Amino acid sequence: MPTNQEIAKRLKDEREKLSLTLQKVAKLMGFDNYQILSNIESGKRKIEAWELVRLSRIYHRDFNYFLEEILTPQSEPRIIWRAKSERN
């Protein structure tokens, strides 16, 4: 499971991809001010499950996108050879 910081970064990235402001999304979320969302995106405040569900809807993303592990590719391809069989 990704860390709080990784989830926060994904949320911010998605908001910015959609060209949405903190103020606009905070209003859609029903927050009193945009600082709550800013604190979530910076990792200063943990996100509640209901908030993540609502944000995933606003950003048109599957809820699991924010919770999936980020797989990093290996730096170099690797080839593993089996030993030659004596039977051929």
Side-chain angles (χ1 to χ4, degrees):
M1 177 169 272
T3 65
N4 190 52
Q5 293 292 340
E6 291 169 332
I7 294 171
K9 181 175 178 354
R10 289 180 194 179
L11 288 168
K12 183 177 181 178
D13 289 347
E14 287 303 308
R15 180 180 57 76
E16 290 175 345
K17 281 180 194 174
L18 295 170
S19 300
L20 295 170
T21 64
L22 282 169
Q23 292 83 356
K24 174 72 175 173
V25 176
K27 185 176 180 179
L28 292 170
M29 290 291 294
F31 293 149
D32 293 332
N33 61 58
Y34 73 91
Q35 202 61 33
I36 297 169
L37 183 59
S38 178
N39 287 338
I40 291 171
E41 288 185 354
S42 66
K44 293 177 185 174
R45 177 184 177 278
K46 287 190 177 184
I47 187 165
E48 300 288 332
W50 72 267
E51 294 168 334
L52 187 56
V53 169
R54 190 172 289 173
L55 285 169
S56 67
R57 290 179 183 154
I58 291 169
Y59 299 155
H60 307 286
R61 278 290 193 167
D62 184 74
F63 175 81
N64 291 321
Y65 167 78
F66 297 103
L67 300 176
E68 293 172 341
E69 286 292 327
I70 298 174
L71 300 176
T72 55
Q74 294 179 348
S75 58
E76 294 181 24
R78 295 182 184 184
I79 299 173
I80 301 173
W81 299 95
R82 292 192 308 189
K84 187 175 181 180
S85 171
E86 292 183 22
R87 290 194 273 170
N88 283 343

